[in-house]
Amino acid sequence: MRSTFKVLFYVNGSKEKNGIVPIMGRVTINGSVAQFSCKLTIAKTMWDAKDNRAKGKSKESRDINLALDSIKAQIIKHYQRISDREAFVTAEMVRNAYQGIGTEYETLLGAFDKDNESFKSVSA
């Protein structure tokens, strides 16, 4: 089964302060949607709603677009890693992995080492 996967950036106009708006991200996978803050802000007039990027060639625009490209690349990497491991991937799983929330799988060797350490501390 092929899944639909999309990363989109937009500005939250309802949180506008002095013409500055926060940049948000949205991950969509097979209809499941997860939104997050990119922790970036931009002047509302500098945002290109059609391309979902900062307009122009100014240093600020280039820096913001570079940061957005980096976020998108990280999200794609997390999506690929999760889809290699899981049969079913949701947008929330990818967002949480990007934000560092969630569970990492423990290797058998790691579990064995942890168990040995707790056994040593009990028997000492």
Side-chain angles (χ1 to χ4, degrees):
M1 184 183 123
R2 229 174 86 70
S3 68
T4 61
F5 169 70
K6 188 162 178 66
V7 180
L8 177 92
F9 298 107
Y10 64 97
V11 292
N12 188 344
S14 66
K15 299 254 195 285
E16 181 180 345
K17 280 194 186 111
N18 303 323
I20 305 295
V21 288
I23 301 175
M24 305 295 289
R26 178 183 300 140
V27 177
T28 310
I29 302 172
N30 295 334
S32 75
V33 177
Q35 299 177 133
F36 59 93
S37 168
C38 294
K39 299 190 179 12
L40 298 168
T41 56
I42 188 170
K44 197 171 186 176
T45 56
M46 285 180 63
W47 185 253
D48 184 341
K50 188 171 77 69
D51 288 335
N52 302 311
R53 299 178 72 70
K55 291 181 200 170
K57 299 274 186 234
S58 70
K59 179 169 174 17
E60 186 185 0
S61 291
R62 286 196 316 267
D63 289 348
I64 286 173
N65 288 335
L66 201 62
L68 294 177
D69 289 342
S70 172
I71 291 169
K72 187 172 187 172
Q74 289 175 54
I75 288 172
I76 291 168
K77 189 177 75 182
H78 286 295
Y79 170 71
Q80 288 171 334
R81 188 174 54 84
I82 293 169
S83 59
D84 286 347
R85 206 172 59 193
E86 302 284 344
F88 184 71
V89 184
T90 66
E92 197 173 331
M93 290 163 78
V94 175
R95 180 201 54 204
N96 289 348
Y98 165 69
Q99 292 180 326
I101 304 166
T103 57
E104 275 300 314
Y105 283 95
E106 187 174 42
T107 63
L108 190 57
L109 209 50
F112 189 70
D113 288 344
K114 203 184 285 178
D115 195 50
N116 282 345
E117 286 301 315
S118 67
F119 184 75
K120 263 194 244 173
S121 64
V122 169
S123 60

